[in-house]
Amino acid sequence: MDLVEAIKSRKSIRGYKPNPVPKEVLKEILEIASRAPSSVNTQPWEFTVIAGEVLEKIKQTNIEKFNSGESPQQNVRRDAYTGKYRDRQVAIAVQLFQLMNIAREDRDKRTEWTRRGFRFFDAPAAIIISIDESLSETAQFDIGAISQTIALVALNHGLGTCIQGAGIMYPEIIRKFTGIPESKRICICLTIGYPDWDFPANKVHSDREPIENIITWCGI
Ligand SMILES: Cc1cc2nc3c(=O)[nH]c(=O)nc-3n(C[C@H](O)[C@H](O)[C@H](O)COP(=O)(O)O)c2cc1C
Protein backbone atom coordinates (compact mmCIF):
# COMPACT_ATOMS: atom_id res chain seq x y z
CA MET A 1 0.00 0.00 0.00
CA ASP A 2 1.16 3.48 -0.85
CA LEU A 3 2.54 5.26 2.21
CA VAL A 4 0.40 8.40 1.91
CA GLU A 5 -2.70 6.31 1.25
CA ALA A 6 -1.92 4.26 4.39
CA ILE A 7 -1.48 7.36 6.56
CA LYS A 8 -4.68 8.89 5.23
CA SER A 9 -6.79 5.75 5.45
CA ARG A 10 -5.68 4.52 8.89
CA LYS A 11 -8.38 4.93 11.46
CA SER A 12 -9.18 3.33 14.79
CA ILE A 13 -11.09 0.08 14.27
CA ARG A 14 -13.44 -0.89 17.10
CA GLY A 15 -15.26 -3.84 15.52
CA TYR A 16 -13.58 -6.93 14.06
CA LYS A 17 -14.38 -10.13 12.23
CA PRO A 18 -13.68 -13.19 14.38
CA ASN A 19 -11.12 -14.59 11.90
CA PRO A 20 -7.80 -15.20 13.64
CA VAL A 21 -4.71 -13.34 12.45
CA PRO A 22 -1.96 -15.81 11.48
CA LYS A 23 1.07 -15.77 13.77
CA GLU A 24 3.45 -15.30 10.79
CA VAL A 25 1.54 -12.18 9.74
CA LEU A 26 1.75 -10.70 13.24
CA LYS A 27 5.45 -11.54 13.35
CA GLU A 28 6.09 -9.90 9.97
CA ILE A 29 4.22 -6.75 11.01
CA LEU A 30 6.24 -6.43 14.21
CA GLU A 31 9.50 -7.16 12.40
CA ILE A 32 8.86 -4.40 9.84
CA ALA A 33 7.47 -1.97 12.43
CA SER A 34 10.53 -2.41 14.62
CA ARG A 35 12.36 -0.27 12.03
CA ALA A 36 10.68 2.64 13.85
CA PRO A 37 13.08 5.23 15.26
CA SER A 38 13.90 5.44 18.94
CA SER A 39 15.98 7.69 21.12
CA VAL A 40 19.68 6.80 20.60
CA ASN A 41 18.39 3.54 19.11
CA THR A 42 17.40 2.19 22.52
CA GLN A 43 14.51 0.22 20.94
CA PRO A 44 12.76 0.14 24.31
CA TRP A 45 9.64 -1.68 23.09
CA GLU A 46 8.80 -5.25 24.05
CA PHE A 47 5.79 -6.94 22.49
CA THR A 48 3.43 -9.43 24.06
CA VAL A 49 1.01 -10.74 21.47
CA ILE A 50 -2.17 -12.16 22.93
CA ALA A 51 -4.81 -14.21 21.15
CA GLY A 52 -6.87 -17.36 21.55
CA GLU A 53 -7.52 -18.69 25.04
CA VAL A 54 -5.22 -16.23 26.79
CA LEU A 55 -6.99 -13.26 25.24
CA GLU A 56 -10.36 -14.77 26.12
CA LYS A 57 -9.30 -15.18 29.76
CA ILE A 58 -8.01 -11.62 29.94
CA LYS A 59 -11.23 -10.25 28.42
CA GLN A 60 -13.34 -12.27 30.84
CA THR A 61 -11.32 -11.27 33.89
CA ASN A 62 -11.29 -7.61 32.82
CA ILE A 63 -15.07 -7.68 32.62
CA GLU A 64 -15.42 -9.39 36.00
CA LYS A 65 -13.17 -6.76 37.56
CA PHE A 66 -15.04 -3.91 35.85
CA ASN A 67 -18.41 -5.33 36.92
CA SER A 68 -17.12 -5.60 40.50
CA GLY A 69 -16.81 -1.81 40.48
CA GLU A 70 -13.03 -1.71 40.96
CA SER A 71 -11.66 1.48 39.40
CA PRO A 72 -9.41 0.89 36.40
CA GLN A 73 -5.97 2.47 36.29
CA GLN A 74 -5.99 5.46 33.90
CA ASN A 75 -2.67 6.02 32.15
CA VAL A 76 -4.06 9.20 30.66
CA ARG A 77 -6.33 11.18 32.97
CA ARG A 78 -9.13 11.74 30.50
CA ASP A 79 -10.99 14.04 32.89
CA ALA A 80 -7.99 16.36 32.92
CA TYR A 81 -8.54 17.74 29.41
CA THR A 82 -9.79 21.31 29.11
CA GLY A 83 -10.44 23.86 26.35
CA LYS A 84 -9.89 22.73 22.77
CA TYR A 85 -8.49 19.39 23.96
CA ARG A 86 -11.70 18.68 25.86
CA ASP A 87 -13.74 19.83 22.81
CA ARG A 88 -11.92 17.33 20.60
CA GLN A 89 -12.37 14.55 23.17
CA VAL A 90 -16.11 15.29 23.32
CA ALA A 91 -16.40 15.52 19.51
CA ILE A 92 -15.02 12.02 18.93
CA ALA A 93 -17.18 10.58 21.73
CA VAL A 94 -20.31 12.25 20.32
CA GLN A 95 -19.56 10.87 16.87
CA LEU A 96 -18.95 7.35 18.17
CA PHE A 97 -22.07 7.37 20.35
CA GLN A 98 -24.19 8.64 17.46
CA LEU A 99 -22.88 5.91 15.18
CA MET A 100 -23.53 3.31 17.90
CA ASN A 101 -26.97 4.77 18.65
CA ILE A 102 -26.06 5.40 22.29
CA ALA A 103 -28.05 8.26 23.83
CA ARG A 104 -26.22 10.48 26.32
CA GLU A 105 -28.57 9.51 29.14
CA ASP A 106 -28.55 5.78 28.34
CA ARG A 107 -26.27 4.56 31.12
CA ASP A 108 -26.64 0.88 30.25
CA LYS A 109 -25.54 1.32 26.66
CA ARG A 110 -22.69 3.61 27.71
CA THR A 111 -21.51 1.04 30.22
CA GLU A 112 -21.73 -1.67 27.57
CA TRP A 113 -19.56 0.48 25.28
CA THR A 114 -17.00 0.79 28.08
CA ARG A 115 -17.09 -2.98 28.57
CA ARG A 116 -16.36 -3.38 24.87
CA GLY A 117 -13.10 -1.51 25.42
CA PHE A 118 -12.17 -3.88 28.25
CA ARG A 119 -12.93 -6.73 25.82
CA PHE A 120 -10.37 -5.30 23.34
CA PHE A 121 -13.31 -4.49 21.01
CA ASP A 122 -13.69 -8.26 20.55
CA ALA A 123 -10.56 -8.31 18.39
CA PRO A 124 -9.02 -11.72 17.69
CA ALA A 125 -5.59 -10.48 18.83
CA ALA A 126 -3.90 -7.66 20.69
CA ILE A 127 -0.32 -6.44 20.91
CA ILE A 128 0.77 -5.20 24.31
CA ILE A 129 3.75 -2.87 24.33
CA SER A 130 5.84 -2.75 27.47
CA ILE A 131 9.17 -1.21 28.39
CA ASP A 132 11.70 -1.70 31.11
CA GLU A 133 10.62 0.28 34.18
CA SER A 134 14.02 2.05 34.18
CA LEU A 135 13.05 3.71 30.86
CA SER A 136 9.60 4.83 31.88
CA GLU A 137 10.46 8.55 31.95
CA THR A 138 12.18 8.68 28.57
CA ALA A 139 10.60 6.18 26.21
CA GLN A 140 7.11 7.61 25.70
CA PHE A 141 8.03 9.14 22.34
CA ASP A 142 9.44 5.83 21.12
CA ILE A 143 6.27 4.02 22.15
CA GLY A 144 4.24 6.47 20.08
CA ALA A 145 6.49 5.94 17.06
CA ILE A 146 6.28 2.15 17.21
CA SER A 147 2.52 2.18 17.80
CA GLN A 148 1.76 4.25 14.71
CA THR A 149 4.21 2.22 12.64
CA ILE A 150 2.50 -1.04 13.64
CA ALA A 151 -0.88 0.48 12.76
CA LEU A 152 0.38 1.48 9.31
CA VAL A 153 2.13 -1.79 8.49
CA ALA A 154 -0.98 -3.71 9.54
CA LEU A 155 -2.95 -1.99 6.75
CA ASN A 156 -0.71 -3.66 4.21
CA HIS A 157 -2.15 -7.01 5.36
CA GLY A 158 -5.77 -5.83 5.28
CA LEU A 159 -5.75 -5.52 9.06
CA GLY A 160 -7.23 -2.79 11.22
CA THR A 161 -5.99 -1.65 14.60
CA CYS A 162 -6.88 0.58 17.48
CA ILE A 163 -4.18 1.94 19.74
CA GLN A 164 -5.93 1.34 23.01
CA GLY A 165 -5.57 2.09 26.68
CA ALA A 166 -8.77 0.39 27.86
CA GLY A 167 -7.71 -3.26 27.60
CA ILE A 168 -4.68 -2.77 29.85
CA MET A 169 -6.33 -0.66 32.54
CA TYR A 170 -6.15 -3.57 34.96
CA PRO A 171 -2.43 -4.27 34.43
CA GLU A 172 -2.37 -6.94 37.16
CA ILE A 173 -4.71 -9.04 34.99
CA ILE A 174 -2.39 -8.68 32.00
CA ARG A 175 0.59 -9.65 34.17
CA LYS A 176 -1.23 -12.67 35.57
CA PHE A 177 -2.07 -14.18 32.17
CA THR A 178 1.03 -13.15 30.20
CA GLY A 179 3.81 -13.26 32.77
CA ILE A 180 4.92 -9.65 32.12
CA PRO A 181 6.90 -8.94 35.31
CA GLU A 182 6.60 -5.89 37.59
CA SER A 183 10.00 -4.73 36.28
CA LYS A 184 8.29 -3.91 32.96
CA ARG A 185 5.84 -1.06 32.49
CA ILE A 186 2.79 -1.96 30.44
CA CYS A 187 2.45 1.14 28.24
CA ILE A 188 -0.25 0.62 25.65
CA CYS A 189 -1.87 -2.02 23.52
CA LEU A 190 -3.14 -2.29 19.96
CA THR A 191 -6.15 -4.35 19.11
CA ILE A 192 -5.65 -5.98 15.72
CA GLY A 193 -7.79 -7.96 13.32
CA TYR A 194 -9.76 -7.90 10.09
CA PRO A 195 -12.17 -4.94 10.23
CA ASP A 196 -15.90 -5.60 10.29
CA TRP A 197 -16.92 -2.74 8.02
CA ASP A 198 -20.58 -3.25 8.94
CA PHE A 199 -19.82 -2.39 12.56
CA PRO A 200 -21.20 1.17 12.93
CA ALA A 201 -18.30 2.65 14.94
CA ASN A 202 -15.91 1.76 12.12
CA LYS A 203 -17.58 4.46 10.04
CA VAL A 204 -16.05 7.07 12.35
CA HIS A 205 -14.08 9.83 10.70
CA SER A 206 -12.11 11.74 13.30
CA ASP A 207 -11.53 15.42 12.58
CA ARG A 208 -8.20 17.18 12.39
CA GLU A 209 -7.41 20.81 13.03
CA PRO A 210 -6.88 22.73 9.75
CA ILE A 211 -3.15 22.69 9.23
CA GLU A 212 -2.77 26.50 9.01
CA ASN A 213 -3.97 26.67 12.64
CA ILE A 214 -1.05 24.61 13.92
CA ILE A 215 1.90 25.77 11.83
CA THR A 216 4.07 28.75 12.64
CA TRP A 217 6.25 29.59 9.66
CA CYS A 218 9.64 31.05 10.47
CA GLY A 219 11.97 32.29 7.74
CA ILE A 220 9.89 30.74 4.96
C1 LIG B 1 -2.48 6.52 23.53
C2 LIG B 1 -3.83 6.24 22.91
C3 LIG B 1 -4.81 5.59 23.66
C4 LIG B 1 -6.06 5.32 23.10
N1 LIG B 1 -6.99 4.63 23.84
C5 LIG B 1 -8.21 4.38 23.31
C6 LIG B 1 -9.19 3.66 24.06
O1 LIG B 1 -8.96 3.23 25.19
N2 LIG B 1 -10.40 3.48 23.49
C7 LIG B 1 -10.69 3.93 22.24
O2 LIG B 1 -11.82 3.71 21.77
N3 LIG B 1 -9.77 4.57 21.48
C8 LIG B 1 -8.54 4.81 21.99
N4 LIG B 1 -7.59 5.47 21.24
C9 LIG B 1 -7.90 5.88 19.85
C10 LIG B 1 -8.19 7.37 19.74
O3 LIG B 1 -9.46 7.64 20.28
C11 LIG B 1 -8.12 7.74 18.25
O4 LIG B 1 -6.82 7.55 17.78
C12 LIG B 1 -8.51 9.21 17.99
O5 LIG B 1 -9.85 9.41 18.36
C13 LIG B 1 -8.33 9.58 16.53
O6 LIG B 1 -9.11 8.70 15.73
P1 LIG B 1 -8.48 7.81 14.57
O7 LIG B 1 -7.48 6.90 15.22
O8 LIG B 1 -9.65 7.04 14.00
O9 LIG B 1 -7.84 8.72 13.59
C14 LIG B 1 -6.33 5.73 21.78
C15 LIG B 1 -5.32 6.35 21.01
C16 LIG B 1 -4.09 6.59 21.57
C17 LIG B 1 -3.02 7.24 20.70
Side-chain angles (χ1 to χ4, degrees):
M1 183 185 259
D2 172 73
L3 178 63
V4 174
E5 189 195 339
I7 293 168
K8 284 184 167 175
S9 65
R10 185 217 55 83
K11 53 153 68 178
S12 292
I13 295 298
R14 298 179 175 88
Y16 296 89
K17 293 181 179 157
N19 314 42
V21 186
K23 189 172 180 177
E24 314 79 70
V25 170
L26 290 164
K27 188 178 169 198
E28 191 181 322
I29 290 169
L30 293 177
E31 196 162 29
I32 296 170
S34 68
R35 295 302 309 171
S38 60
S39 176
V40 292
N41 202 23
T42 41
Q43 305 167 60
W45 41 72
E46 294 176 31
F47 307 120
T48 306
V49 184
I50 49 175
E53 237 177 72
V54 174
L55 179 56
E56 280 314 308
K57 281 192 180 139
I58 293 174
K59 285 180 191 173
Q60 207 182 317
T61 317
N62 268 354
I63 296 299
E64 283 164 14
K65 190 77 119 180
F66 176 72
N67 289 347
S68 77
E70 188 171 319
S71 292
Q73 183 181 303
Q74 305 257 4
N75 282 344
V76 179
R77 276 201 50 219
R78 293 171 186 207
D79 57 346
Y81 295 130
T82 57
K84 63 186 175 192
Y85 309 112
R86 172 76 183 149
D87 293 345
R88 290 171 188 159
Q89 179 191 17
V90 169
I92 193 73
V94 165
Q95 204 191 135
L96 282 168
F97 282 13
Q98 270 171 2
L99 286 164
M100 292 302 297
N101 198 21
I102 302 172
R104 199 180 153 73
E105 61 286 354
D106 191 334
R107 284 192 121 223
D108 288 351
K109 275 193 178 177
R110 286 171 71 114
T111 305
E112 191 44 40
W113 178 252
T114 306
R115 279 201 193 96
R116 202 179 162 74
F118 287 110
R119 294 201 316 264
F120 299 82
F121 306 129
D122 295 333
I127 299 165
I128 295 169
I129 304 178
S130 55
I131 57 168
D132 197 87
E133 195 59 57
S134 64
L135 298 170
S136 61
E137 294 296 311
T138 52
Q140 295 306 315
F141 186 92
D142 308 333
I143 297 307
I146 191 80
S147 299
Q148 165 76 340
T149 309
I150 294 170
L152 293 177
V153 179
L155 293 175
N156 214 28
H157 294 267
L159 289 159
T161 56
C162 184
I163 301 172
Q164 205 227 26
I168 54 162
M169 279 184 184
Y170 296 112
E172 68 282 7
I173 294 176
I174 304 290
R175 292 187 196 284
K176 178 178 170 194
F177 289 103
T178 62
I180 298 175
E182 290 285 346
S183 58
K184 307 287 173 187
R185 173 169 296 204
I186 297 170
C187 299
I188 199 71
C189 87
L190 284 93
T191 55
I192 185 163
Y194 300 98
D196 174 359
W197 292 114
D198 293 330
F199 187 73
N202 287 345
K203 298 189 172 34
V204 70
H205 182 78
S206 59
D207 294 327
R208 292 296 184 272
E209 191 69 19
I211 199 66
E212 62 270 21
N213 294 355
I214 52 170
I215 302 180
T216 304
W217 300 102
C218 300
I220 180 172

